Amino acid sequence: MSRAFTGMIAGMALAFAGYFGGFGAFLLVAALGGAGYAAGAWLEGGGQADDLREKFVRSRR
């Protein structure tokens, strides 16, 4: 799947959330989409899920 198509799907999801759910739903969808993108990019770049979890736990201490 190309990046342009993925961006189009993300834009459509944000548009639907903004139209039907209001601005709060738009922000929630955008934030969760960004977090999912960041986690996916981390894992695709060779990171391990355990490394991501350890960084989160370490930052909470």
Side-chain angles (χ1 to χ4, degrees):
M1 191 177 329
S2 71
R3 288 183 184 220
F5 184 74
T6 305
M8 181 187 69
I9 296 298
M12 289 174 63
L14 288 171
F16 278 115
Y19 183 76
F20 292 112
F23 188 67
F26 173 82
L27 290 178
L28 179 65
V29 169
L32 292 177
Y37 177 80
W42 171 270
L43 292 173
E44 191 175 83
Q48 299 293 322
D50 291 336
D51 297 339
L52 190 61
R53 183 183 53 82
E54 287 176 16
K55 285 188 178 217
F56 178 72
V57 170
R58 234 182 278 145
S59 69
R60 291 181 58 188
R61 292 183 192 172

